[in-house]
Amino acid sequence: MTTMLQSWLNRCKHLLAICVPVVLTLMLGACHSGHYPQDHEQLSEDERIVIRFSHVVGEETPKGLAARRFAELVKQRTSGYVEVQVFSNSYLYKDGEEIDALLQGDVQMIAPAISKLSELVPEWQVIDLPFAFNETEEVLDYVFSPVGQELLARLEKKGIKTLDVWDNGFKQLTNSQRPIQKPEDAAGLRFRIMPSEVLDRQFRQLGAQAEVYAFNEVFQLLEHEQIDGQENTLSNIVSRNLHYLQNYITISNHGYLGYFVIINQEFWDGLPEEVQEVIQTTMDEVTEWQLQLAQELNAQHLEEIEACQCIHVTYLDEEEREQWFQRLQPVYQFYAEKYGHQYVDSLPRFKDADE
Ligand code: LMR
């Protein structure tokens, strides 16, 4: 290995700048057991592998905490040769910008809500269908089922590799006007939504209005009463203090919010195999931890909301959830006709009925 390195260095003397990464790659190749050469702190950004990971939520959310943990572990495991730089809170790019930034290679990794990826593969709006899932495991089963794999392959064709799915649990409804118990209680209100036709239809079906805004705008919109309400997970509501701006929350668990952790495919293909392996195994490990964390944080935030005496809490029981689901049936019909019945038929509540 030493002779080989010397001969490489001699041949590349005048092209040292180009050769440094190659030599490092060879060194990495020699370290099958993951023992990376030490002291990469001394290397410049050009000599290290830098992965810019941008997201739109706070650092103390399930996504924010997982992104940081992933970055720390990758740094440890490659002795600093691979550096994941995490930019939270829409600091680099906000909704509507981050997917383009990823495709153009301005950042290498993002973890957008699945709803936002429907900009590229609209069929993924299936995850937005209201009351389609009862727990995160059902969503994961769907993503890894044959129809889910087919849709992931479509993302890959757009230049996106999906590393894993991160969880943020189920969305709840908040508003400033009145308790929402029955579907008709939402009529006439204006809600902020993520960009998704299915979410738009969901609110229209309730006689409400839906407007698409970036996540980082929600606080101000509520503060200035430009909208009446919004739907989000407890961790997104509490981490942004939205519960202090709203008078009513319905623990409806009506829609799922999870993330695809994605990386620019071309960038991925250019990484040494050993680096790909460290990234994927670390990501898998962090994902397992993240699933647990998301559930714990959301449960903890529910307790905070119940205790804060700052917002009126309404719960839906099973019977009421079923009434909401029936009322929202036209949204399923819209989706099935536009994007294909097979995606709806594979949802757990319909699949189980067929079996
Ligand atoms: C939202 O826009 O409400 C969420 O997707 C934000 C996030 O990334 O959790």
Side-chain angles (χ1 to χ4, degrees):
M1 181 54 68
T2 318
T3 332
M4 206 174 135
L5 279 178
Q6 269 165 356
S7 103
W8 263 103
L9 281 170
N10 287 341
R11 284 165 65 191
C12 297
K13 236 189 295 183
H14 57 294
L15 284 172
L16 203 53
I18 299 170
C19 286
V20 167
V22 175
V23 171
L24 283 168
T25 305
L26 281 172
M27 289 163 82
L28 281 172
C31 302
H32 293 296
S33 58
H35 298 292
Y36 287 83
Q38 299 296 309
D39 207 15
H40 282 132
E41 298 291 334
Q42 304 304 321
L43 298 177
S44 72
E45 272 209 4
D46 292 347
E47 294 160 334
R48 275 178 282 144
I49 293 177
V50 175
I51 300 177
R52 299 192 337 148
F53 184 168
S54 169
H55 68 82
V56 301
V57 293
E59 302 219 352
E60 302 303 319
T61 58
K63 177 160 62 178
L65 290 165
R68 266 195 0 234
R69 186 179 177 94
F70 171 70
E72 278 157 21
L73 288 175
V74 168
K75 186 173 179 187
Q76 263 173 31
R77 289 170 184 181
T78 61
S79 306
Y81 176 54
V82 181
E83 185 188 356
V84 181
Q85 299 175 346
V86 180
F87 300 91
S88 58
N89 281 314
S90 310
Y91 178 76
L92 277 190
Y93 297 102
K94 55 187 172 100
D95 289 338
E97 296 173 349
E98 61 173 14
I99 294 177
D100 284 346
L102 181 85
L103 292 173
Q104 283 162 19
D106 296 331
V107 289
Q108 290 68 44
M109 271 179 83
I110 57 174
I114 301 173
S115 320
K116 293 173 189 168
L117 282 164
S118 61
E119 179 189 310
L120 296 176
V121 179
E123 287 79 358
W124 271 122
Q125 290 174 74
V126 68
I127 303 291
D128 291 333
L129 285 167
F131 300 95
F133 302 97
N134 286 316
E135 45 195 59
T136 298
E137 284 65 29
E138 290 179 349
V139 180
L140 298 179
D141 286 349
Y142 188 91
V143 171
F144 296 110
S145 72
V147 288
Q149 291 302 299
E150 178 210 319
L151 296 182
L152 283 180
R154 287 201 210 175
L155 274 179
E156 207 157 322
K157 285 207 187 98
K158 306 266 177 180
I160 286 177
K161 177 176 172 60
T162 306
L163 293 171
D164 262 312
V165 185
W166 283 356
D167 182 31
N168 196 355
F170 286 81
K171 289 179 289 182
Q172 323 298 348
L173 280 174
T174 69
N175 85 96
S176 55
Q177 301 298 318
R178 62 183 90 102
I180 297 182
Q181 185 92 49
K182 300 185 295 300
E184 46 275 27
D185 296 332
L189 302 180
R190 287 164 307 159
F191 289 90
R192 175 265 171 175
I193 54 165
M194 295 184 279
S196 156
E197 234 180 323
V198 161
L199 296 180
D200 181 66
R201 295 262 164 170
Q202 164 191 279
F203 281 108
R204 280 208 267 151
Q205 189 57 33
L206 299 173
Q209 255 174 275
E211 293 166 28
V212 174
Y213 290 106
F215 180 63
N216 66 324
E217 296 173 296
V218 180
F219 185 92
Q220 285 204 336
L221 289 163
L222 291 176
E223 194 180 27
H224 298 134
E225 297 176 1
Q226 284 166 278
I227 49 171
D228 300 305
Q230 58 90 47
E231 52 165 19
N232 224 316
T233 60
L234 290 168
S235 90
N236 280 346
I237 292 169
V238 172
S239 66
R240 280 289 197 272
N241 283 325
L242 304 184
H243 53 311
Y244 291 115
L245 297 176
Q246 297 269 264
N247 298 322
Y248 304 96
I249 182 165
T250 303
I251 305 301
S252 49
N253 290 312
H254 63 279
Y256 179 74
L257 200 161
Y259 311 106
F260 286 159
V261 191
I262 55 182
I263 190 161
N264 179 298
Q265 180 79 51
E266 201 180 326
F267 173 78
W268 174 261
D269 291 341
L271 292 174
E273 241 176 68
E274 292 76 16
V275 170
Q276 288 182 347
E277 202 180 312
V278 176
I279 289 176
Q280 187 64 69
T281 50
T282 307
M283 178 55 70
D284 293 346
E285 189 185 311
V286 170
T287 297
E288 218 168 286
W289 174 85
Q290 198 275 345
L291 287 177
Q292 183 72 28
L293 174 79
Q295 296 187 4
E296 282 167 14
L297 278 183
N298 277 307
Q300 185 184 312
H301 290 318
L302 181 57
E303 284 175 17
E304 276 167 51
I305 287 215
E306 283 167 336
C308 79
Q309 300 198 327
C310 56
I311 189 163
H312 177 275
V313 187
T314 301
Y315 298 88
L316 300 187
D317 63 24
E318 271 316 302
E319 208 174 303
E320 287 164 330
R321 284 172 60 78
E322 194 52 31
Q323 283 164 9
W324 278 76
F325 170 69
Q326 292 305 335
R327 172 71 184 267
L328 291 165
Q329 275 307 293
V331 186
Y332 282 74
Q333 279 148 25
F334 158 78
Y335 178 95
E337 278 160 26
K338 185 151 181 188
Y339 299 114
H341 288 265
Q342 70 276 29
Y343 303 116
V344 174
D345 294 345
S346 304
L347 288 168
R349 63 158 66 226
F350 301 115
K351 202 170 117 227
D352 295 346
D354 286 352
E355 279 165 1

PDB file of all heavy atoms in Angstrom, residues 9-26:
ATOM      1  N   LEU A   9       1.734   9.613  -5.534  1.00  0.00           N
ATOM      2  CA  LEU A   9       2.149  10.978  -5.194  1.00  0.00           C
ATOM      3  C   LEU A   9       3.133  11.513  -6.214  1.00  0.00           C
ATOM      4  O   LEU A   9       3.058  12.672  -6.625  1.00  0.00           O
ATOM      5  CB  LEU A   9       2.762  11.016  -3.792  1.00  0.00           C
ATOM      6  CG  LEU A   9       1.740  11.003  -2.661  1.00  0.00           C
ATOM      7  CD1 LEU A   9       2.420  10.805  -1.313  1.00  0.00           C
ATOM      8  CD2 LEU A   9       0.923  12.288  -2.651  1.00  0.00           C
ATOM      9  N   ASN A  10       4.080  10.653  -6.654  1.00  0.00           N
ATOM     10  CA  ASN A  10       5.065  11.102  -7.648  1.00  0.00           C
ATOM     11  C   ASN A  10       4.386  11.506  -8.940  1.00  0.00           C
ATOM     12  O   ASN A  10       4.663  12.546  -9.520  1.00  0.00           O
ATOM     13  CB  ASN A  10       6.090   9.993  -7.924  1.00  0.00           C
ATOM     14  CG  ASN A  10       7.018   9.859  -6.733  1.00  0.00           C
ATOM     15  OD1 ASN A  10       7.105  10.790  -5.929  1.00  0.00           O
ATOM     16  ND2 ASN A  10       7.674   8.720  -6.590  1.00  0.00           N
ATOM     17  N   ARG A  11       3.482  10.633  -9.341  1.00  0.00           N
ATOM     18  CA  ARG A  11       2.808  10.902 -10.618  1.00  0.00           C
ATOM     19  C   ARG A  11       1.949  12.157 -10.537  1.00  0.00           C
ATOM     20  O   ARG A  11       1.658  12.799 -11.517  1.00  0.00           O
ATOM     21  CB  ARG A  11       1.947   9.708 -11.017  1.00  0.00           C
ATOM     22  CG  ARG A  11       2.819   8.576 -11.561  1.00  0.00           C
ATOM     23  CD  ARG A  11       2.069   7.282 -11.629  1.00  0.00           C
ATOM     24  NE  ARG A  11       0.972   7.355 -12.581  1.00  0.00           N
ATOM     25  CZ  ARG A  11       0.051   6.416 -12.658  1.00  0.00           C
ATOM     26  NH1 ARG A  11       0.103   5.377 -11.870  1.00  0.00           N
ATOM     27  NH2 ARG A  11      -0.916   6.528 -13.531  1.00  0.00           N
ATOM     28  N   CYS A  12       1.539  12.488  -9.330  1.00  0.00           N
ATOM     29  CA  CYS A  12       0.590  13.600  -9.204  1.00  0.00           C
ATOM     30  C   CYS A  12       1.219  14.860  -8.630  1.00  0.00           C
ATOM     31  O   CYS A  12       0.491  15.768  -8.238  1.00  0.00           O
ATOM     32  CB  CYS A  12      -0.572  13.185  -8.305  1.00  0.00           C
ATOM     33  SG  CYS A  12      -1.509  11.840  -8.984  1.00  0.00           S
ATOM     34  N   LYS A  13       2.573  14.895  -8.546  1.00  0.00           N
ATOM     35  CA  LYS A  13       3.225  15.996  -7.833  1.00  0.00           C
ATOM     36  C   LYS A  13       2.641  17.363  -8.209  1.00  0.00           C
ATOM     37  O   LYS A  13       2.272  18.147  -7.369  1.00  0.00           O
ATOM     38  CB  LYS A  13       4.729  15.969  -8.113  1.00  0.00           C
ATOM     39  CG  LYS A  13       5.541  15.909  -6.825  1.00  0.00           C
ATOM     40  CD  LYS A  13       7.007  16.096  -7.060  1.00  0.00           C
ATOM     41  CE  LYS A  13       7.571  14.974  -7.864  1.00  0.00           C
ATOM     42  NZ  LYS A  13       8.936  14.918  -8.134  1.00  0.00           N
ATOM     43  N   HIS A  14       2.564  17.621  -9.507  1.00  0.00           N
ATOM     44  CA  HIS A  14       2.113  18.927  -9.947  1.00  0.00           C
ATOM     45  C   HIS A  14       0.588  19.085  -9.856  1.00  0.00           C
ATOM     46  O   HIS A  14       0.048  20.126 -10.107  1.00  0.00           O
ATOM     47  CB  HIS A  14       2.581  19.173 -11.382  1.00  0.00           C
ATOM     48  CG  HIS A  14       2.117  18.113 -12.345  1.00  0.00           C
ATOM     49  ND1 HIS A  14       2.546  16.822 -12.272  1.00  0.00           N
ATOM     50  CD2 HIS A  14       1.250  18.177 -13.373  1.00  0.00           C
ATOM     51  CE1 HIS A  14       1.968  16.119 -13.228  1.00  0.00           C
ATOM     52  NE2 HIS A  14       1.174  16.914 -13.908  1.00  0.00           N
ATOM     53  N   LEU A  15      -0.054  18.019  -9.511  1.00  0.00           N
ATOM     54  CA  LEU A  15      -1.531  18.112  -9.400  1.00  0.00           C
ATOM     55  C   LEU A  15      -1.996  17.753  -7.991  1.00  0.00           C
ATOM     56  O   LEU A  15      -2.997  17.098  -7.793  1.00  0.00           O
ATOM     57  CB  LEU A  15      -2.177  17.128 -10.396  1.00  0.00           C
ATOM     58  CG  LEU A  15      -2.185  17.539 -11.846  1.00  0.00           C
ATOM     59  CD1 LEU A  15      -2.676  16.382 -12.700  1.00  0.00           C
ATOM     60  CD2 LEU A  15      -3.074  18.753 -12.079  1.00  0.00           C
ATOM     61  N   LEU A  16      -1.181  18.228  -7.047  1.00  0.00           N
ATOM     62  CA  LEU A  16      -1.430  17.804  -5.675  1.00  0.00           C
ATOM     63  C   LEU A  16      -2.859  18.062  -5.195  1.00  0.00           C
ATOM     64  O   LEU A  16      -3.467  17.238  -4.521  1.00  0.00           O
ATOM     65  CB  LEU A  16      -0.437  18.514  -4.742  1.00  0.00           C
ATOM     66  CG  LEU A  16      -0.185  17.786  -3.412  1.00  0.00           C
ATOM     67  CD1 LEU A  16       0.227  16.346  -3.653  1.00  0.00           C
ATOM     68  CD2 LEU A  16       0.865  18.538  -2.613  1.00  0.00           C
ATOM     69  N   ALA A  17      -3.349  19.201  -5.616  1.00  0.00           N
ATOM     70  CA  ALA A  17      -4.698  19.564  -5.152  1.00  0.00           C
ATOM     71  C   ALA A  17      -5.721  18.514  -5.556  1.00  0.00           C
ATOM     72  O   ALA A  17      -6.646  18.195  -4.812  1.00  0.00           O
ATOM     73  CB  ALA A  17      -5.077  20.915  -5.725  1.00  0.00           C
ATOM     74  N   ILE A  18      -5.540  17.961  -6.750  1.00  0.00           N
ATOM     75  CA  ILE A  18      -6.491  16.961  -7.219  1.00  0.00           C
ATOM     76  C   ILE A  18      -6.223  15.627  -6.519  1.00  0.00           C
ATOM     77  O   ILE A  18      -7.129  14.855  -6.235  1.00  0.00           O
ATOM     78  CB  ILE A  18      -6.374  16.784  -8.755  1.00  0.00           C
ATOM     79  CG1 ILE A  18      -6.699  18.117  -9.423  1.00  0.00           C
ATOM     80  CG2 ILE A  18      -7.262  15.680  -9.274  1.00  0.00           C
ATOM     81  CD1 ILE A  18      -6.389  18.148 -10.891  1.00  0.00           C
ATOM     82  N   CYS A  19      -4.925  15.392  -6.253  1.00  0.00           N
ATOM     83  CA  CYS A  19      -4.562  14.075  -5.728  1.00  0.00           C
ATOM     84  C   CYS A  19      -4.935  13.860  -4.263  1.00  0.00           C
ATOM     85  O   CYS A  19      -5.164  12.734  -3.860  1.00  0.00           O
ATOM     86  CB  CYS A  19      -3.064  13.841  -5.873  1.00  0.00           C
ATOM     87  SG  CYS A  19      -2.656  13.515  -7.569  1.00  0.00           S
ATOM     88  N   VAL A  20      -4.984  14.956  -3.493  1.00  0.00           N
ATOM     89  CA  VAL A  20      -5.239  14.763  -2.062  1.00  0.00           C
ATOM     90  C   VAL A  20      -6.516  13.952  -1.814  1.00  0.00           C
ATOM     91  O   VAL A  20      -6.486  12.951  -1.106  1.00  0.00           O
ATOM     92  CB  VAL A  20      -5.246  16.118  -1.310  1.00  0.00           C
ATOM     93  CG1 VAL A  20      -5.808  15.967   0.097  1.00  0.00           C
ATOM     94  CG2 VAL A  20      -3.829  16.656  -1.238  1.00  0.00           C
ATOM     95  N   PRO A  21      -7.625  14.353  -2.444  1.00  0.00           N
ATOM     96  CA  PRO A  21      -8.827  13.543  -2.198  1.00  0.00           C
ATOM     97  C   PRO A  21      -8.667  12.090  -2.644  1.00  0.00           C
ATOM     98  O   PRO A  21      -9.187  11.177  -2.011  1.00  0.00           O
ATOM     99  CB  PRO A  21      -9.909  14.243  -3.026  1.00  0.00           C
ATOM    100  CG  PRO A  21      -9.361  15.578  -3.363  1.00  0.00           C
ATOM    101  CD  PRO A  21      -7.883  15.491  -3.290  1.00  0.00           C
ATOM    102  N   VAL A  22      -7.903  11.891  -3.754  1.00  0.00           N
ATOM    103  CA  VAL A  22      -7.737  10.524  -4.253  1.00  0.00           C
ATOM    104  C   VAL A  22      -6.970   9.690  -3.239  1.00  0.00           C
ATOM    105  O   VAL A  22      -7.336   8.558  -2.916  1.00  0.00           O
ATOM    106  CB  VAL A  22      -6.974  10.537  -5.611  1.00  0.00           C
ATOM    107  CG1 VAL A  22      -6.687   9.135  -6.091  1.00  0.00           C
ATOM    108  CG2 VAL A  22      -7.762  11.324  -6.635  1.00  0.00           C
ATOM    109  N   VAL A  23      -5.893  10.301  -2.694  1.00  0.00           N
ATOM    110  CA  VAL A  23      -5.082   9.583  -1.711  1.00  0.00           C
ATOM    111  C   VAL A  23      -5.931   9.253  -0.483  1.00  0.00           C
ATOM    112  O   VAL A  23      -5.911   8.142   0.024  1.00  0.00           O
ATOM    113  CB  VAL A  23      -3.854  10.440  -1.312  1.00  0.00           C
ATOM    114  CG1 VAL A  23      -3.125   9.802  -0.134  1.00  0.00           C
ATOM    115  CG2 VAL A  23      -2.918  10.575  -2.497  1.00  0.00           C
ATOM    116  N   LEU A  24      -6.716  10.238  -0.074  1.00  0.00           N
ATOM    117  CA  LEU A  24      -7.563   9.994   1.096  1.00  0.00           C
ATOM    118  C   LEU A  24      -8.544   8.860   0.839  1.00  0.00           C
ATOM    119  O   LEU A  24      -8.801   8.029   1.691  1.00  0.00           O
ATOM    120  CB  LEU A  24      -8.327  11.269   1.458  1.00  0.00           C
ATOM    121  CG  LEU A  24      -7.466  12.308   2.184  1.00  0.00           C
ATOM    122  CD1 LEU A  24      -8.196  13.636   2.254  1.00  0.00           C
ATOM    123  CD2 LEU A  24      -7.107  11.825   3.580  1.00  0.00           C
ATOM    124  N   THR A  25      -9.048   8.857  -0.384  1.00  0.00           N
ATOM    125  CA  THR A  25      -9.987   7.799  -0.734  1.00  0.00           C
ATOM    126  C   THR A  25      -9.306   6.437  -0.643  1.00  0.00           C
ATOM    127  O   THR A  25      -9.858   5.466  -0.132  1.00  0.00           O
ATOM    128  CB  THR A  25     -10.511   8.015  -2.164  1.00  0.00           C
ATOM    129  OG1 THR A  25     -11.044   9.321  -2.222  1.00  0.00           O
ATOM    130  CG2 THR A  25     -11.581   7.018  -2.522  1.00  0.00           C
ATOM    131  N   LEU A  26      -8.032   6.373  -1.150  1.00  0.00           N
ATOM    132  CA  LEU A  26      -7.290   5.113  -1.085  1.00  0.00           C
ATOM    133  C   LEU A  26      -7.068   4.702   0.368  1.00  0.00           C
ATOM    134  O   LEU A  26      -7.200   3.544   0.734  1.00  0.00           O
ATOM    135  CB  LEU A  26      -5.922   5.276  -1.760  1.00  0.00           C
ATOM    136  CG  LEU A  26      -5.936   5.210  -3.284  1.00  0.00           C
ATOM    137  CD1 LEU A  26      -4.573   5.576  -3.830  1.00  0.00           C
ATOM    138  CD2 LEU A  26      -6.346   3.819  -3.744  1.00  0.00           C
TER     139      LEU A  26
END
